[in-house]
Amino acid sequence: MKVLITGSSGQVGTNLALRLQRDGHWVFGVDKRENTWTDDFRYILQDLAIHYPAFRGGIGGVEYPEVDVIVHLAAHAKVHQLVRQPHRALENAIMTFNVLEYARQLELPLVFSSTREVYGDVHRFEEYGEAVADFAYTESPYSASKIASEALIYSYARCYGLRYLVFRFSNVYGRYDNDLQRMERVIPLFIEQMAAGEPITVFGGEDKVLDFTYVDDCIDGITRGIEALAEGEVVNETINLAYGQGNTLVHAAELIGTELGVEPKVTLAPSLLGEVTHYVADLSKARELLGYEPEVPLEDGIARAVAWFREHRAAHPEEETALPADVLFPQDAQLGWKPVPS
Ligand SMILES: NC(=O)c1ccc[n+]([C@@H]2O[C@H](COP(=O)([O-])OP(=O)(O)OC[C@H]3O[C@@H](n4cnc5c(N)ncnc54)[C@H](O)[C@@H]3O)[C@@H](O)[C@H]2O)c1
C-alpha cells in the first residue's frame, strides 16, 4: 500500500511510518516541522492549518504522490497548551477539514487519530439521557477540537461516502517521545527529572488513573486498521486503542523510579484545568474487529521507555542542557504560564 501520513514528524507518525515501511508499504509524510528522529522516509514540509482553496493533486495545490489511504495524525496535541492557546484547537479542526476535502476529491479512505479526551472526565457521568448527544461535558479546547474533527468525519461519511476509521488513543508513551522542549509528556518528563535527581509533581494527585499505551501496541492497532480499511474489511468504525488497564500516575512514577534505581520525590498537586483524571479503555471493539491484543503492560513498557531514553540521551548528550522553558515558550512566560506535562 501507499500511505500518506500527516503529522509524520511526531511520535506516532514516526513510529508508524517506520513500521509500515518495515512491513513493505510505501510511506509519504507531511508535517510542518522537520523530522528530528529519522531520515528513513520521504516527507514534505507544509502547514496544514491554513485555509486552502484547492485539493486536486494534494492539499493547497501542493502535488502529493498517489496514495491508497490517508492517516491523519497532524494536530496540536497538548491538552494544557490548548487551554492557554485555544486558537490552536481551531487549527486542529481546520487541518481535519483540509484532509477531509483532499480525501473527498480523491475518494481516499481515512484513518483519524482521536483521543480518550472525547469522553470527558468519564467517572463523572453514569446515566444516559439527553446527555448522550450533549457535549457540555467537553473538558478542554483540545477535546473540543477532536470532537469537532470526529463530527466532520461522520458527516463526510454520510454526505460524501467517506470510508473512515477513527481511533481513540490514550497516553501513548515510548520511543520518539522525549522532545520535551516541544512537547512535555508526562512519562518522558518524569524519566528525565528522576534521572537528574529532581522532584516530580503529579497533577491530579494519587487518584489520577490513566490507561497508558506503549507505542508499539498503538502502532500495531493502527496498522491493523489501515490494512482492514484498505481491504474494505472494517469500515466506518470508531475504535478505542489503549492497553485496557488503569494505572495511577503515582504508580507509573514508582515504576520509573525502580527502573532508574532512584526513590521518586513526589509532590501531589490538584488537577490542571482541562485535564481528564480517570480513564480506562474498553477494548472489546478493537479485539473483535481488528484482532488487536496489546502486549506491553506498564511494567514492561516503562522498562523499554527508560532503556530507550538512556540510549537516546547517550547519543545526544546536548539535550541534557536544553534551553529553559521561558526561552522556548516566551509567549507563555509573558502570560505568566509555566509549561506543564500532559
Ligand atoms: N500521543 C498520545 O498520547 C495521543 C493520545 C491521544 C491522541 N493523540 C493524537 O494522535 C496524533 C499524533 O500524536 P503524537 O503523540 O504523535 O503528537 P505529536 O505532537 O508528536 O505529532 C503531531 C505532529 O503534527 C504536526 N503538526 C501540528 N500542526 C501542524 C500543521 N499546522 N501542519 C502540519 N503538521 C502539523 C506537528 O509538527 C507534529 O509533528 C495527534 O493528533 C494527537 O492529538 C495522541
Side-chain angles (χ1 to χ4, degrees):
M1 268 182 303
K2 296 186 198 131
V3 185
L4 169 69
I5 300 177
T6 73
S8 57
S9 299
Q11 181 205 12
V12 176
T14 303
N15 278 290
L16 179 65
L18 296 175
R19 159 75 193 265
L20 289 174
Q21 280 201 163
R22 271 202 306 279
D23 289 357
H25 301 300
W26 185 87
V27 170
F28 179 71
V30 184
D31 203 295
K32 68 172 183 183
R33 297 181 306 121
E34 282 184 20
N35 193 308
T36 54
W37 310 108
T38 179
D39 297 321
D40 284 353
F41 63 87
R42 206 179 135 207
Y43 66 96
I44 57 162
L45 292 174
Q46 185 183 15
D47 186 345
L48 293 173
I50 294 171
H51 276 294
Y52 289 115
F55 298 92
R56 281 247 168 261
I59 294 173
V62 176
E63 278 297 311
Y64 291 1
E66 253 178 53
V67 293
D68 303 308
V69 57
I70 308 166
V71 183
H72 175 40
L73 303 172
H76 299 293
K78 267 203 78 181
V79 175
H80 206 68
Q81 182 187 53
L82 272 59
V83 173
R84 303 193 305 268
Q85 301 168 350
H87 69 278
R88 289 177 189 265
L90 183 61
E91 289 185 7
N92 282 354
I94 294 170
M95 284 187 241
T96 303
F97 168 77
N98 284 335
V99 171
L100 277 170
E101 276 299 283
Y102 170 63
R104 177 162 84 102
Q105 305 269 345
L106 278 86
E107 296 181 14
L108 291 169
L110 173 75
V111 173
F112 176 62
S113 51
S114 191
T115 170
R116 62 159 161 83
E117 304 281 335
V118 300
Y119 294 111
D121 216 353
V122 178
H123 61 162
R124 282 210 322 234
F125 58 101
E126 273 144 20
E127 287 179 12
Y128 294 88
E130 290 81 353
V132 170
D134 175 0
F135 300 106
Y137 59 77
T138 305
E139 288 292 331
S140 70
Y142 172 72
S143 170
S145 78
K146 292 293 185 181
I147 291 171
S149 291
E150 283 198 21
L152 274 172
I153 288 168
Y154 304 144
S155 74
Y156 270 59
R158 291 218 168 78
C159 296
Y160 314 117
L162 173 80
R163 289 158 293 149
Y164 72 83
L165 286 184
V166 167
F167 284 119
R168 293 178 178 158
F169 305 154
S170 171
N171 286 85
V172 184
Y173 69 99
R175 205 188 305 108
Y176 310 139
D177 67 348
N178 74 335
D179 46 351
L180 291 171
Q181 278 61 48
R182 175 184 76 89
M183 172 94 179
E184 255 180 33
R185 300 178 219 237
V186 74
I187 297 283
L189 180 70
F190 282 3
I191 296 175
E192 164 132 339
Q193 289 175 325
M194 282 192 228
E198 292 168 10
I200 59 163
T201 304
V202 175
F203 292 101
E206 274 172 323
D207 300 331
K208 186 169 188 172
V209 172
L210 298 172
D211 196 337
F212 296 98
T213 316
Y214 186 66
V215 65
D216 287 351
D217 282 333
C218 175
I219 298 301
D220 183 61
I222 306 172
T223 306
R224 286 168 185 268
I226 294 169
E227 286 165 356
L229 179 65
E231 295 292 324
E233 286 162 6
V234 183
V235 179
N236 297 8
E237 297 284 355
T238 298
I239 302 171
N240 293 332
L241 270 192
Y243 185 70
Q245 195 181 76
N247 274 289
T248 65
L249 192 45
V250 170
H251 180 55
E254 286 163 358
L255 291 172
I256 294 170
T258 308
E259 210 49 49
L260 289 168
V262 299
E263 187 66 38
K265 297 172 212 151
V266 181
T267 305
L268 302 177
S271 200
L272 295 163
L273 201 59
E275 271 192 338
V276 166
T277 57
H278 190 278
Y279 176 74
V280 185
D282 176 347
L283 298 181
S284 340
K285 228 173 146 181
R287 289 198 166 98
E288 191 188 318
L289 295 179
L290 302 174
Y292 171 71
E293 206 51 68
E295 287 179 351
V296 189
L298 192 61
E299 291 71 18
D300 295 353
I302 291 287
R304 293 189 201 186
V306 169
W308 182 81
F309 181 90
R310 283 187 162 134
E311 199 182 301
H312 179 80
R313 195 39 75 77
H316 300 276
E318 73 284 357
E319 287 183 11
E320 213 153 330
T321 51
L323 291 171
D326 56 346
V327 177
L328 289 154
F329 301 99
Q331 225 180 341
D332 287 352
Q334 278 161 22
L335 291 169
W337 288 92
K338 281 197 168 43
V340 284
S342 57

